[in-house]
Amino acid sequence: MAVERTLSIIKPDAVAKNVIGDIVARFEKADLKVVAMKMVHLSDEQAGGFYAEHKERPFFNDLVSFMTSGPVVVQVLEGEDAVAKNRDLMGATNPKEAAAGTIRADFAQTIDENAVHGSDSTESAAREVAYFFSDEELCPRTR
Ligand code: RTP
Ligand code: MG
């Protein structure tokens, strides 16, 4: 398996619940390393641009409203098979269908406010990492 990078966002609902540390701990326990991290209150333009693939979907406006409703924590996670591993840790999009012990099962209640985002492919990851971080902001781990 290859070492990959993936983009993770701790969404406004989870930040409001004060569970940033609990969620980051899940990543660290699974051997994913944080190589970039920032807190940001997204603008409509930033959130809409990030979720541009969903522009025509009926939930797009609600999604942008939610993602701009409070600050988020944006991270780049690095590790073996990071994209799929992060998606496994997150659980299904709808928390009601998420496997027990996943982040969405434990920290979210509804599909609209589901605690975390994670890139869904290595191609999405490359695009999403570059959307939020410059090369200089990525901190390779040397120890
Ligand atoms: P994300 O992009 O946030 O990691 O979530 P995901 O891949 O699991 O789901 P995706 O299909 O990319 O949808 C993005 C976000 O839009 C909201 N959504 N609502 N009401 C609905 O049917 C619906 N479907 C999706 C969710 O908040 C989802 O995380
Ligand atoms: Mg998605």
Side-chain angles (χ1 to χ4, degrees), residues 51-99:
Y51 278 121
E53 64 181 306
H54 295 311
K55 216 177 169 92
E56 307 305 326
R57 309 283 287 277
F59 56 80
F60 180 75
N61 287 344
D62 287 345
L63 178 58
V64 171
S65 295
F66 165 59
M67 289 299 290
T68 58
S69 66
V72 299
V73 175
V74 191
Q75 302 167 86
V76 179
L77 305 174
E78 183 179 87
E80 290 281 331
D81 209 17
V83 172
K85 189 184 269 190
N86 182 39
R87 298 283 295 192
D88 285 347
L89 292 168
M90 289 163 57
T93 306
N94 186 346
K96 293 182 171 57
E97 294 164 7

Side-chain angles (χ1 to χ4, degrees), residues 6 11 14 19 27 30 36 45 66 68 70 74 87 92 102 108 112-113 118 124 143:
T6 191
K11 295 183 178 183
V19 292
F27 300 141
E45 289 69 28
F66 165 59
T68 58
V74 191
R87 298 283 295 192
T102 61
D112 300 308
E113 303 201 355
S124 301
R143 51 179 287 180

